[in-house]
Amino acid sequence: MMKWIKSGGPISILLILLLLAAGCGTTNKASVKPIAGTAAPEAAPEQTSEPCYAEIEWVDFLMINDIRYSHNYDATKPVPADQRGDKVGEVSFKVSDNACTDHVVKNGDAAFLPVGTVIYALEGYRSEYRVVADNKIYEVEENPKAATIGDLLDIAGKLDKVSLESGMDSSQIGDFTKEASEEFIRELLPLKNVGFDAVYKQTKHEYGVFLRVHLQDGTSFRMVYYPKGNAFTAGAFGTDRLQELITTQRQQIKAAAGM
């Protein structure tokens, strides 16, 4: 069974299963042969004669070099050709309509991108953080090699501001002060990357605070913070100073907004 991942909210689910009947007939017999210097596309799983009886809703993701990315659909624009860097991989298997609930995500998999779609680096960012496919920006969700949040998110020196969003409709409530935004990033990036699963185990029943990190190129991404667990969906537990900083800025922003 596919693991869940977060994407752009407290928990966006990589896979929502609405089982219409028992059983699933997809088996994976493909072998893996990495290609030096590029992503390691893998052969499509062989299908048995038994159909898949599950209705699956996929998040727009891709995976290369053991890094899982999801499409940043709400705060980026189509990427022009001159912002594409070197080729870093290629889609070898389109998961939607071809895989069932027992499919394990592999290098070269993508939810909706056709087989053969080229995956590029994005100018100005490490490819471990952002890549481009079909003129869309895909942003890291999980990287087992990232020791810290700074390793996971290539945003040092790229911050514009941090803002507070409504948990009801995602509307912007207000911004952190410039000083608070800068301190937020300084405290955030050295945090140990423990992964989303570790955070979820401790915070799965907790209400989250919706933050948006705005970058200097005009793009942004959402980060959810859980005050009681002092944890972030990016996969880290915060410091006491981060907890104090976020709590104070949130109170000030809500008061200024009359909330």
Side-chain angles (χ1 to χ4, degrees):
M1 176 110 22
M2 187 81 66
K3 292 182 179 180
W4 293 353
I5 63 170
K6 79 287 181 194
S7 172
I11 304 173
S12 290
I13 301 174
L14 173 63
L15 173 59
I16 300 175
L17 306 180
L18 302 173
L19 296 182
L20 304 181
C24 195
T26 302
T27 58
N28 180 6
K29 301 179 182 178
S31 60
V32 182
K33 187 176 182 181
I35 301 174
T38 68
E42 299 177 2
E46 297 179 8
Q47 302 265 339
T48 69
S49 59
E50 298 179 20
C52 178
Y53 291 109
E55 182 177 317
I56 308 173
E57 183 177 326
W58 299 93
V59 165
D60 189 359
F61 80 96
L62 63 83
M63 184 168 178
I64 57 170
N65 296 323
D66 299 324
I67 301 173
R68 193 166 57 199
Y69 304 80
S70 65
H71 176 208
N72 184 334
Y73 62 90
D74 66 341
T76 59
K77 297 178 180 179
V79 180
D82 62 359
Q83 290 185 16
R84 292 192 319 223
D86 296 335
K87 176 181 176 179
V88 294
E90 184 175 308
V91 175
S92 58
F93 181 58
K94 181 182 176 183
V95 175
S96 61
D97 302 323
N98 293 302
C100 201
T101 59
D102 58 351
H103 180 74
V104 178
V105 175
K106 300 175 182 64
N107 289 324
D109 281 4
F112 306 116
L113 299 173
V115 171
T117 300
V118 177
I119 303 166
Y120 299 94
L122 176 64
E123 290 293 340
Y125 294 95
R126 298 194 309 261
S127 59
E128 291 85 358
Y129 172 53
R130 281 179 168 179
V131 294
V132 178
D134 192 28
N135 299 321
K136 299 182 294 186
I137 291 178
Y138 286 80
E139 209 161 80
V140 66
E141 287 285 353
E142 182 178 325
N143 179 1
K145 297 179 181 178
T148 67
I149 296 301
D151 294 333
L152 187 73
L153 308 178
D154 181 20
I155 60 176
K158 300 178 175 70
L159 178 71
D160 180 28
K161 64 181 179 180
V162 178
S163 60
L164 178 70
E165 290 188 339
S166 167
M168 300 296 293
D169 59 9
S170 300
S171 60
Q172 185 168 315
I173 300 174
D175 298 334
F176 283 28
T177 65
K178 183 177 184 296
E179 294 75 17
S181 292
E182 292 172 350
E183 185 177 2
F184 174 87
I185 293 299
R186 286 198 304 271
E187 289 283 327
L188 177 74
L189 297 185
L191 297 179
K192 181 179 179 181
N193 176 29
V194 300
F196 173 73
D197 289 346
V199 168
Y200 180 67
K201 287 179 182 178
Q202 185 163 322
T203 63
K204 57 186 174 181
H205 300 302
E206 186 182 342
Y207 172 78
V209 175
F210 285 53
L211 305 176
R212 182 161 293 277
V213 179
H214 301 261
L215 303 181
Q216 293 171 357
D217 63 0
T219 64
S220 68
F221 63 92
R222 177 182 290 170
M223 178 177 290
V224 182
Y225 174 70
Y226 298 101
K228 291 182 181 179
N230 193 14
F232 298 86
T233 49
F237 293 99
T239 61
D240 290 343
R241 177 54 187 156
L242 260 177
Q243 187 175 47
E244 178 185 10
L245 179 68
I246 296 169
T247 300
T248 300
Q249 288 296 303
R250 181 178 180 232
Q251 290 172 345
Q252 293 177 357
I253 291 169
K254 293 185 74 173
M259 300 175 67

